[in-house]
Amino acid sequence: MQVKGWHMVREGGAVTLARRSPARFDLKVETLLPPVGRPERLAHQVRQDMWRALRDLRGFAPVVRVQPCAGGVTVEAGGEVAGALPRKAVETRIAEVLEDRANRARWVTWAA
């Protein structure tokens, strides 16, 4: 399904939001969040914050996957990059977005 230029794929309980289809993770960082009722809203919020942090990364196409797991949901954030990238630096920036306490609280509230 495509929503406003974004491809959303539901597989089992997982939701994958990507700019391009099929979604591809050239780089990926994971985190665990509490259970949410609206995983698609969580995916959009994570995507927006990740994009803000990485908008200067040329050729970047964000991908976020939200998947239920024991005790909550696993969020995989990253995406596809056309060209060379400083992998460790970019993954560190994504991890900073995912581990920011204010972001996490806002995401969980919005996706409740």
Side-chain angles (χ1 to χ4, degrees):
M1 166 170 70
Q2 190 169 3
V3 179
K4 296 182 183 176
W6 292 92
H7 299 275
M8 187 171 296
V9 177
R10 296 175 194 275
E11 307 169 88
V15 173
T16 303
L17 178 68
R19 187 55 145 172
R20 299 185 184 123
S21 182
R24 186 177 89 204
F25 282 104
D26 292 335
L27 55 105
K28 176 172 54 172
V29 178
E30 295 183 20
T31 192
L32 179 64
L33 289 171
V36 297
R38 311 255 330 252
E40 65 282 351
R41 290 183 107 183
L42 175 60
H44 275 289
Q45 288 292 299
V46 172
R47 192 263 323 152
Q48 286 175 350
D49 289 337
M50 181 175 55
W51 175 251
R52 288 180 187 120
L54 297 174
R55 66 178 154 234
D56 61 334
L57 182 59
R58 188 176 176 108
F60 179 63
V63 178
V64 177
R65 180 175 295 132
V66 178
Q67 187 168 316
C69 67
V73 293
T74 300
V75 176
E76 298 170 310
E80 180 179 337
V81 181
L85 73 141
R87 178 176 301 280
K88 290 293 182 192
V90 173
E91 288 176 343
T92 298
R93 287 166 65 187
I94 295 171
E96 289 169 355
V97 170
L98 293 180
E99 298 307 322
D100 182 273
R101 293 172 65 115
N103 285 347
R104 295 169 70 88
R106 182 172 36 83
W107 298 336
V108 170
T109 300
W110 180 250

